[in-house]
Amino acid sequence: MKFTILTLFPEMVMTGLNESIIGRAKEKGIIDIEAVNIRDYTEDKHKKVDDYPYGGGAGMVMQAQPIYDAHKAVTANMQGMVRTVYLTPQGKVFNQDMAAELAQADNLVLLCGHYEGVDERVLEEVVTDYVSIGDFVLTGGELPAMVMVDAISRMVPGVLTNEESGTTESFHNYLLEYPQYSRPEEWHGRKVPDVLLSGHHKNIEDWRLSQSIERTRERRPDLYKKYMNSERK
Ligand code: ADE
């Protein structure tokens, strides 16, 4: 799977995605991530990529031409399914199901806006999906793009080891993760729950499930409702 991030700040994006599990998957060639500087495609002789909004108002608007040309250049030789996501608080809110669905694409182009926005006309021509990472406003689409690359990559087969994926299925059935403990058995006077030291696998499994359910009910009543209505309970 290939991610192409169209941005004015390619270094910002790439620094965050060269580490840890995502960095390892890149090195192994399971995923490919490229950040392309939109500014490299401007036809303006001063390398300008934004201008004042028609109708007035605060801030600047990213112009259509550099974005369109950058998009055209990066998609020209793409094979398979291409989806182009514009990161915006006006989009559909990102979640685990969307991550799984987008992980089916062969190519994902992530367009990061900045300033007050992007000329609507280029969005109409290139964007297939509008995605928000939550109901808050950030200064640009770079952090949301990184969030999406991370969450989608871990759904791509081979990115997580068996061990890693086994421990992180929880969100799928609407339950939060159960609490985890490691050595020592007692720390600051707090003991690890006895059942976890018992070696009794069935009891441990039951305990973890009941912790997950209780935790979800307390912390995320919205998810708990979905869990109670789901088939898997
Ligand atoms: N750009 C600015 N804020 C955003 C958000 N919450 N989600 C996605 N893109 C954004």
Side-chain angles (χ1 to χ4, degrees):
M1 173 160 196
K2 163 122 194 199
F3 299 91
T4 308
I5 302 159
L6 301 181
T7 170
L8 292 174
F9 305 98
E11 293 87 15
M12 170 182 179
V13 176
M14 289 316 294
T15 329
L17 296 171
N18 276 326
E19 304 286 337
S20 185
I21 294 172
I22 305 305
R24 181 185 73 196
K26 260 181 78 199
E27 257 165 41
K28 282 207 253 166
I30 304 167
I31 54 169
D32 184 11
I33 308 173
E34 187 187 7
V36 171
N37 197 335
I38 294 166
R39 198 177 297 278
D40 292 345
Y41 290 87
T42 180
E43 285 172 352
D44 182 83
K45 60 176 182 292
H46 304 294
K47 292 269 174 194
K48 204 164 66 72
V49 289
D50 60 341
D51 209 331
Y52 295 99
Y54 279 120
M60 302 290 270
V61 174
M62 284 172 71
Q63 291 166 285
Q65 178 271 318
I67 293 174
Y68 184 78
D69 287 355
H71 184 268
K72 196 168 155 193
V74 301
T75 54
N77 294 315
M78 280 180 182
Q79 313 274 315
M81 198 212 304
V82 181
R83 288 173 80 165
T84 300
V85 174
Y86 176 52
L87 288 312
T88 167
Q90 299 178 21
K92 186 171 169 197
V93 179
F94 190 57
N95 62 16
Q96 194 63 44
D97 289 341
M98 206 193 292
E101 206 237 322
L102 289 171
Q104 305 296 315
D106 302 294
N107 298 279
L108 214 53
V109 181
L110 300 165
L111 172 59
C112 305
H114 244 271
Y115 313 112
E116 292 308 299
V118 170
D119 191 308
E120 190 69 19
R121 294 167 296 183
V122 69
L123 299 178
E124 288 167 5
E125 292 211 5
V126 306
V127 172
T128 57
D129 301 84
Y130 292 82
V131 177
S132 165
I133 63 156
D135 288 338
F136 41 82
V137 181
L138 299 165
T139 55
E142 283 74 17
L143 290 169
M146 290 162 72
V147 166
M148 287 187 67
V149 171
D150 189 292
I152 294 166
S153 294
R154 48 185 300 298
M155 308 299 289
V156 173
V159 169
L160 298 184
T161 63
N162 277 344
E163 212 169 56
E164 285 160 354
S165 53
T167 59
T168 47
E169 281 300 306
S170 67
F171 232 86
H172 244 38
N173 50 17
Y174 305 116
L175 287 179
L176 302 181
E177 203 59 57
Y178 48 78
Q180 297 272 24
Y181 302 86
S182 185
R183 289 200 287 181
E185 272 184 44
E186 187 174 330
W187 178 81
H188 281 198
R190 298 160 187 272
K191 295 193 69 187
V192 173
D194 284 337
V195 61
L196 299 179
L197 310 174
S198 68
H200 192 301
H201 294 301
K202 178 72 173 76
N203 287 355
I204 292 173
E205 202 182 301
D206 290 348
W207 181 84
R208 285 180 165 166
L209 178 61
S210 70
Q211 289 286 311
S212 281
I213 294 171
E214 188 49 31
R215 185 164 273 208
T216 308
R217 196 179 62 78
E218 262 176 43
R219 297 185 183 182
R220 290 292 305 274
D222 56 321
L223 278 185
Y224 182 71
K225 236 187 243 166
K226 287 189 186 169
Y227 168 72
M228 290 304 284
N229 291 326
S230 75
E231 302 276 293
R232 296 186 211 191
K233 65 165 183 287

Coordinates of all heavy atoms in Angstrom, one line a residue, residues 86-91 113 131-142 144-145, ligand 1:
Y86 N -9.1 14.5 1.6 CA -8.8 15.9 2.1 C -9.1 15.9 3.6 O -10.2 15.6 4.0 CB -9.7 16.9 1.3 CG -9.5 18.3 1.8 CD1 -8.2 18.9 2.0 CD2 -10.5 19.1 2.2 CE1 -8.0 20.2 2.4 CE2 -10.4 20.4 2.6 CZ -9.1 20.9 2.7 OH -8.9 22.2 3.2
L87 N -8.1 16.3 4.3 CA -8.2 16.4 5.8 C -8.9 17.7 6.2 O -8.3 18.8 5.9 CB -6.9 16.3 6.5 CG -6.1 15.0 6.5 CD1 -7.0 13.8 6.9 CD2 -5.5 14.6 5.1
T88 N -10.0 17.6 6.8 CA -10.8 18.8 7.2 C -11.7 18.5 8.3 O -12.3 17.4 8.4 CB -11.6 19.3 5.9 OG1 -12.5 20.3 6.4 CG2 -12.3 18.2 5.2
P89 N -11.9 19.6 9.2 CA -12.9 19.3 10.3 C -14.3 19.2 9.7 O -15.2 18.7 10.4 CB -12.8 20.6 11.1 CG -11.7 21.4 10.6 CD -11.3 20.8 9.3
Q90 N -14.5 19.5 8.4 CA -15.8 19.3 7.8 C -16.1 17.9 7.3 O -17.1 17.6 6.7 CB -16.0 20.3 6.6 CG -15.9 21.7 7.0 CD -16.0 22.6 5.8 OE1 -16.5 22.3 4.8 NE2 -15.5 23.8 6.0
G91 N -15.1 17.0 7.5 CA -15.2 15.6 6.9 C -15.9 14.7 7.8 O -16.4 15.0 8.9
G113 N -4.4 20.7 4.0 CA -4.7 22.1 3.8 C -4.0 22.9 4.9 O -3.5 22.4 5.9
V131 N -12.3 13.8 5.3 CA -12.1 13.1 6.6 C -11.7 14.1 7.7 O -10.7 14.9 7.5 CB -11.1 11.9 6.5 CG1 -10.9 11.3 7.9 CG2 -11.6 10.9 5.5
S132 N -12.3 14.0 8.8 CA -11.9 14.8 10.0 C -11.4 13.8 11.1 O -11.9 12.6 11.1 CB -13.1 15.5 10.6 OG -12.9 15.9 11.9
I133 N -10.5 14.2 11.9 CA -10.0 13.3 12.9 C -10.7 13.6 14.3 O -10.4 13.0 15.3 CB -8.5 13.2 13.1 CG1 -7.9 14.5 13.5 CG2 -7.8 12.6 11.9 CD1 -6.6 14.3 14.2
G134 N -11.7 14.5 14.3 CA -12.4 14.8 15.5 C -12.9 16.2 15.5 O -12.5 17.0 14.7
D135 N -13.8 16.5 16.4 CA -14.4 17.8 16.5 C -13.6 18.8 17.2 O -13.9 19.3 18.3 CB -15.8 17.7 17.1 CG -16.8 17.0 16.1 OD1 -16.5 16.9 14.9 OD2 -17.8 16.4 16.6
F136 N -12.5 19.2 16.6 CA -11.6 20.3 17.0 C -10.9 20.8 15.8 O -10.9 20.1 14.8 CB -10.6 19.8 18.1 CG -10.0 18.4 17.7 CD1 -9.0 18.3 16.8 CD2 -10.5 17.3 18.3 CE1 -8.4 17.1 16.5 CE2 -10.0 16.0 17.9 CZ -9.0 16.0 17.1
V137 N -10.4 22.0 15.9 CA -9.7 22.6 14.7 C -8.2 22.7 14.9 O -7.8 23.3 15.9 CB -10.3 24.0 14.4 CG1 -9.7 24.6 13.1 CG2 -11.9 23.9 14.2
L138 N -7.5 22.1 14.0 CA -6.0 22.1 14.0 C -5.6 23.2 13.0 O -6.4 23.7 12.2 CB -5.5 20.8 13.6 CG -5.9 19.7 14.6 CD1 -5.6 18.3 14.0 CD2 -5.2 19.8 15.9
T139 N -4.3 23.5 13.0 CA -3.8 24.5 12.1 C -3.5 24.0 10.7 O -3.3 24.8 9.8 CB -2.4 25.1 12.7 OG1 -1.5 24.1 12.9 CG2 -2.7 25.9 14.0
G140 N -3.5 22.7 10.6 CA -3.3 22.1 9.2 C -3.6 20.7 9.2 O -3.9 20.1 10.3
G141 N -3.6 20.1 8.0 CA -4.0 18.7 7.9 C -2.8 17.7 8.2 O -3.0 16.5 8.0
E142 N -1.6 18.2 8.5 CA -0.5 17.3 8.6 C -0.6 16.3 9.8 O -0.4 15.1 9.6 CB 0.8 18.1 8.8 CG 1.4 18.7 7.5 CD 0.6 19.9 7.0 OE1 -0.2 20.5 7.8 OE2 0.7 20.3 5.9
P144 N -3.4 15.3 11.3 CA -4.4 14.3 10.9 C -3.9 13.3 9.9 O -4.3 12.1 10.0 CB -5.6 15.2 10.3 CG -5.4 16.5 11.0 CD -3.9 16.7 11.2
A145 N -3.2 13.7 8.9 CA -2.6 12.8 7.9 C -1.8 11.7 8.6 O -1.8 10.5 8.3 CB -1.9 13.5 6.8
Ligands
ADE1 N1 -7.6 20.2 9.7 C1 -7.8 21.0 10.7 N2 -8.5 20.4 11.7 C2 -8.7 19.1 11.3 C3 -9.4 18.0 11.9 N3 -9.9 18.1 13.1 N4 -9.4 16.9 11.2 C4 -8.9 16.8 10.0 N5 -8.2 17.8 9.4 C5 -8.2 19.0 10.0

